[in-house]
Structure formats: structure tokens, C-alpha cells
Amino acid sequence: MDLRTAQPQIPEWRSVIDRAETGEIDEPIYNVDRGDTRPFDAIFVGGGAGGRFGSAYLRARGGRQLTVDRWPFLGGSCPHQACVPHHLFSEAARELDLARWLSGTLWYPDFDDKRASILEIVELFRSGRNAAHAFMNWQSKEQLGMEYILNASATVIDEHTVEVAGERFHAENLVLGTGARTLVPDIAGIGLRGVFDFASLVEELDYEPNRCVIIGGSKVAIEYGSFFQAAGCPTTIVTRSPLMSTASLHHVDDDLRRYVVDGMRTRGMTILEGANPVEVVGNGSVTAVDVRLADGTVERLPTDFVFVGTGERACSEPFVESLGVTTDERGSIVVDARMRTSVPGVYAIGDLIGPPMEMFKARKCGMAAARNIMGEPYEFDFSEYPDFLHSTYEVTWVGLTEAEARERHDHVVVIQMPPPGVQPGDIPLPCAEGSMLYAFTRPELTGFQKCVIDAESRRIVGLHHVGFGAKDAFQYLDHLLRRPGGLPIDEMAEMNELFLNPEHFIQLSRLRAGNLVLSDL
Ligand code: COM
């Protein structure tokens, strides 16, 4: 199917994607300008966030790219199986949580567990996701001028050659961006029906789970587990390391962690730390998980729904075989700060180069590769970044924890809500955007926040927030913190807040900024 000269509008793209997914369209979808005789500067293998943003950037710089994806759409796993459904489920978890706490008060009806269906939300996502895919195909073609081939696998022949449906395409450079997949633990019974990961959940769930066991303690485990629990499916997390303490999450403040994990338990989740799954039990379908607990005893946890949240591994094998690119001990492709692999002319981006497997990194890796390919020496250092996860809250952090700051600086002060020693139930703080209903009904549920300051330089070195509405601000706060001069408390006090805005720390900073010698608040 050649759509180069057609100008499909978004509804038509949606129909093409729908038909490709049912198999009605089983051929490649071409959007390649055959009349353009310029060579390709790069072929992007994989059109996910990294490939799409890299392609757009390279194109914007006047280069010529070709992007190939096996799916009939661009955008990759984010809008199809990963970030977008996760955000939908997390928003549902937050709504469900509020409806439970306020059940039978104000305008809230008595909460009915049976009305909250995991399957229904999964189906809502499944039936709606192609709208976003259609937009990305349209935008990439009509607005960004990209060339691409969809619904077809790319086979890398050598560092300049890619084969798609029997046709060979050549380029100066290759950019590999085929992502990662769940690292499925090697446990007996893991293949039984009723065992899911984030991808198979949205593709295959066809029944309403009654009880859930999550294997692993990753971000995904916390996020999906909080949703399952909020939807009325009693959930147990089985994790070796304490939640939010694994090496894959850096800068997690102890107080923030405690508020999040205690909050999950308060909402009824069972969290078994120091525990290892021994076997997924069942006959065709899962019926239980046997778990070795921290004390060495084995307990059988009955369940009809197992969710694997043990983290992900890069899909690097084809490129090791075809190109011999160097990988690390976890199978991630090794790149330098310019995204160059061990093979000249071959770049790798996104989840394929390992953690953090986050959107900002994928897109900026793509951009970094494109800039270098177009002749601009450009380095991307993602060793520091703002981070977040969802429980029923939005949990956001950037910079140093209080403990890390105390190791590095002699005089650290902390601005914290609720302040140390104050019972969360005694004050409706932090009453930020999105927690006002809690502030007036259940003050202990309004969240937690901490601002860590090096008192000598007066610079803010860490910000930590559990609540709502802070995530957007943290994107900018991260940038301000990493500027050469950093973000002094005095500059924070100069900002113009649009509300109380405790989630942005402005007014709390102003309460202290007048002090020549800073102290805790
Ligand atoms: C995000 C997909 S949903 S992309 O980064 O816009 O390609």
C-alpha cells in the first residue's frame, strides 16, 4: 500500500491502522518519496518515541531519513502498550481512590466495587488507542515531512543496509531504536494463562480478575498494582528488594518512600518484601503463586491474575547478530554520549541502550543521534533527571534526597509538609491542586513534600513530592536546578504563584527566604 501521494486525514489513517491490526492489510504501508534521489542520511530502525523524534529532528535539519516500524503506526510502545495506558490506569486509580474515601458523602454514591472493572478500562484503552496512532502517522507525514515504511519488519543487513519486504534501502547511518521487553523471570508456571505483563495486559485480558499477585517491585509493579487494588482487585506485591529501593530508582527520599508505601498498605495492598516467587501454580490457568517469604517459609497465595513487574531488557539480539554491536551484561547496547555504538555509523537510542527507560530519554536520544548525524557534535548526559511514578498519587522527585544532601553539604535545611513531628491528620497540608477535597475530609491523605536546601549556597538541591499537580512543574524545576547557578531559595521566592501552590514550593520558600541564616520549616 503506497500512501506517498495520498494525503490521508486522521480518520482515514485510523481505518488503515484498524485494518492492518485485523490483518486485512497485511502488506507494508509505504510513505517513501521515490522521486527524491538524495541518499538517506539515516535509516531509523524502529519508529517509537526515539525514532520518531530523531527522524523529525534530522528532517528539520535538512537531512533525509527513512523510518521503519513493524507496527502500522509510529510512536511505538508508549501510546500502544506502555505510557499512555499506564497514565489512563493511574488516572482511574486516583478517581477510584477518591470515590472510595468519599463514598456516601457529598455527591459521591456508596462505592460499589462491582462497578469498577479492570477489564472495562483495558477495553476502553484498547478501543481508543488507534486514534493517537492515526494522529502520529498524519503528523509525521503531513507536518514533519518524514518518510517511513510501516507494518513491515526491517532486517539489518550491514551498517548501511536495511531490507524491508525484500527491498534494500541504503543510508550513511543507522539508528537502532527497537526498545525493550519485559524480563520474564524463569519460574515454573510463568507461561500459564492468567499471567500478564504491561503489554499482554492490554492485548489479551479478556476476563475480570478477582485477585492479583504481582511478581517484582518495579515502578510498573507499583503503578499497575495501585490501579488493580483501587479497582477492587485485592493485590499482593511480591518483591525481593523493598519497594522503591532498587538501584533502578535513584534519589528516592526515605520520607517520601515511607509515605507512598504506607499509603499503599493503608489502601489494602499486601506488600511482601524480601520475598521470592517459587512457582506459578495452575492447570492451564493460574490458580495460585507459591512464595518463599522473608522468614524462609513458603506460602501459597490463591489468585486468578498474575502480573509480572520485574523490569525490562533491551531487544538487542538481532543487532548483535547482524552488526556485532557491543552490549553490556544486561544486553543493553553500549553507546557513548553521542549515541554512537561500537560500530561506526551505527547509533542506538531509547530503551535499547538501557535504563532509565523513560520518554524524555528516548526522545532526546533520538534528537542527539540526529544532531550528530547532521554534523553537530552533541552530547546527551542523562545521568541526572527528574523522576516520577504513580501510586494512587503522583509521586515526583528531582535532585538529592535529604540523606544524600547531608553527605555532601555541611549545613542542610529542609522545608517539609507536614512538618516533622506534626501528625498528618492534624493539618490539611500540603493542600495542593487536586487534594482540596482530601484537605477538608481526610487531611492525612493530602500528600507529602520536602524541599532540601544547601544553606550555605542557599541553593535548592532536592525536591520531593507526593500528591497531585506537581509533575509539570518538576520538568521546569529540574532545568532550573541543573543550571550553572542552580536555583537559590531567593529566586524561588521571587516567582509568582497562581494558587497556594505548595506543590511548587514557591510560597514555602518565600516564608524562609528572608532569613540570612536559613533554618528548617
Ligand atoms: C508518544 C509517542 S505517545 S511519540 O514520542 O510522540 O512518538
Side-chain angles (χ1 to χ4, degrees):
M1 166 178 259
D2 193 337
L3 294 179
R4 179 66 197 170
T5 50
Q7 286 186 323
Q9 295 307 297
I10 294 169
E12 293 160 73
W13 266 121
R14 182 161 183 175
S15 152
V16 168
I17 296 166
D18 285 345
R19 283 157 51 218
E21 282 184 343
T22 60
E24 193 188 321
I25 297 175
D26 60 358
E27 55 184 315
I29 301 166
Y30 289 97
N31 167 39
V32 180
D33 186 356
R34 307 277 182 181
D36 187 341
T37 53
R38 289 177 302 154
F40 290 109
D41 294 288
I43 297 176
F44 286 77
V45 180
R52 201 170 88 88
F53 274 70
S55 297
Y57 211 92
L58 191 137
R59 184 75 188 78
R61 286 281 160 110
R64 185 170 189 218
Q65 51 61 236
L66 175 66
T67 306
V68 187
D69 203 285
R70 70 189 164 98
W71 278 333
F73 51 83
L74 295 164
S77 62
C78 163
H80 197 59
Q81 295 171 333
C83 335
V84 174
H86 146 220
H87 278 76
L88 174 67
F89 302 155
S90 295
E91 193 170 311
R94 167 178 138 175
E95 294 289 327
L96 289 164
D97 193 50
L98 187 67
R100 280 174 183 281
W101 288 111
L102 298 187
S103 170
T105 68
L106 301 170
W107 54 87
Y108 288 87
D110 289 340
F111 193 85
D112 178 1
D113 258 340
K114 292 189 186 60
R115 288 287 308 276
S117 158
I118 296 171
L119 181 60
E120 201 175 0
I121 302 255
V122 167
E123 285 175 341
L124 178 72
F125 171 72
R126 210 185 277 150
S127 63
R129 63 184 169 178
N130 285 355
H133 301 340
F135 171 74
M136 281 174 209
N137 287 4
W138 175 84
Q139 183 194 55
S140 303
K141 180 175 184 297
E142 307 302 339
Q143 295 191 305
L144 303 173
M146 285 167 49
E147 292 179 68
Y148 51 77
I149 305 172
L150 304 175
N151 212 30
S153 295
T155 306
V156 172
I157 305 298
D158 61 37
E159 59 267 48
H160 297 295
T161 314
V162 167
E163 188 171 292
V164 186
E167 184 176 3
R168 291 199 172 183
F169 296 87
H170 305 281
E172 282 292 304
N173 302 277
L174 297 187
V175 185
L176 312 176
T178 48
R181 70 174 85 84
T182 299
L183 181 59
V184 180
D186 187 15
I187 304 169
I190 200 76
L192 286 170
R193 184 174 184 276
V195 180
F196 297 87
D197 70 354
F198 70 92
S200 58
L201 178 81
V202 297
E203 299 301 338
E204 293 165 18
L205 186 74
D206 60 358
Y207 65 97
E208 187 62 35
N210 290 304
R211 185 168 280 277
C212 176
V213 173
I214 297 190
I215 295 175
S218 65
K219 262 190 187 182
V220 169
I222 295 171
E223 294 169 330
Y224 282 68
S226 296
F227 163 57
F228 301 149
Q229 179 73 34
C233 177
T235 296
T236 301
I237 295 185
V238 177
T239 173
R240 249 173 245 159
S241 316
L243 285 188
M244 298 184 75
S245 309
T246 50
S248 60
L249 287 184
H250 65 178
H251 304 314
V252 177
D253 186 85
D254 288 339
D255 292 324
L256 173 133
R257 173 183 186 276
R258 202 169 303 121
Y259 191 88
V260 173
V261 177
D262 286 355
M264 291 165 70
R265 288 198 163 106
T266 302
R267 287 160 174 87
M269 283 177 85
T270 305
I271 301 167
L272 303 176
E273 296 178 334
N276 285 290
V278 179
E279 182 179 351
V280 180
V281 182
N283 184 6
S285 295
V286 59
T287 54
V289 179
D290 285 349
V291 175
R292 189 177 310 281
L293 302 175
D295 66 5
T297 59
V298 173
E299 188 176 323
R300 177 157 290 190
L301 308 176
T303 188
D304 61 349
F305 179 51
V306 173
F307 185 80
V308 179
T310 40
E312 285 154 65
R313 190 186 160 96
C315 302
S316 58
E317 301 88 350
F319 310 119
V320 174
E321 268 176 38
S322 57
L323 296 168
V325 287
T326 302
T327 55
D328 66 16
E329 65 292 347
R330 296 160 53 116
S332 307
I333 295 183
V334 176
V335 293
D336 65 10
R338 296 191 193 178
M339 307 303 128
R340 296 178 297 196
T341 69
S342 58
V343 179
V346 178
Y347 294 72
I349 59 176
D351 293 352
L352 197 50
I353 65 169
M357 296 191 182
E358 297 291 351
M359 173 64 74
F360 84 92
K361 193 203 79 189
R363 289 174 173 168
K364 285 180 72 178
C365 280
M367 181 181 78
R371 291 170 87 143
N372 282 289
I373 289 167
M374 294 308 290
E376 177 191 354
Y378 179 87
E379 299 195 342
F380 174 32
D381 172 6
F382 49 83
S383 50
E384 291 300 327
Y385 53 92
D387 211 350
F388 85 98
L389 58 77
H390 288 108
S391 56
T392 45
Y393 293 104
E394 180 189 293
V395 184
T396 330
W397 65 99
V398 65
L400 304 179
T401 66
E402 183 180 343
E404 289 168 341
R406 291 194 188 285
E407 275 170 24
R408 293 192 201 179
H409 302 285
D410 291 336
H411 187 189
V412 169
V413 301
V414 167
I415 291 174
Q416 187 175 307
M417 279 293 163
V422 173
Q423 287 308 311
D426 289 346
I427 53 159
L429 290 169
C431 56
E433 202 74 58
S435 61
M436 294 302 264
L437 279 167
Y438 285 134
F440 286 87
T441 56
R442 296 195 175 258
E444 70 280 11
L445 303 180
T446 49
F448 169 82
Q449 64 183 183
K450 182 188 278 191
C451 170
V452 184
I453 301 164
D454 166 29
E456 262 142 48
S457 66
R458 301 176 72 86
R459 282 170 64 161
I460 294 170
V461 294
L463 294 162
H464 310 269
H465 188 269
V466 186
F468 308 101
K471 195 163 62 204
D472 291 347
F474 270 62
Q475 300 166 130
Y476 303 103
L477 291 169
D478 161 63
H479 184 76
L480 296 174
L481 247 57
R482 287 189 292 109
R483 284 180 309 174
L487 176 59
I489 183 171
D490 310 278
E491 190 176 349
M492 198 72 146
E494 288 291 334
M495 293 185 189
N496 297 328
E497 65 269 47
L498 294 176
F499 171 53
L500 303 169
N501 289 57
E503 72 273 30
H504 305 157
F505 301 91
I506 297 173
Q507 101 280 33
L508 294 176
S509 296
R510 191 178 296 127
L511 288 174
R512 271 294 180 251
N515 294 68
L516 221 49
V517 178
L518 296 174
S519 56
D520 292 344
L521 182 71

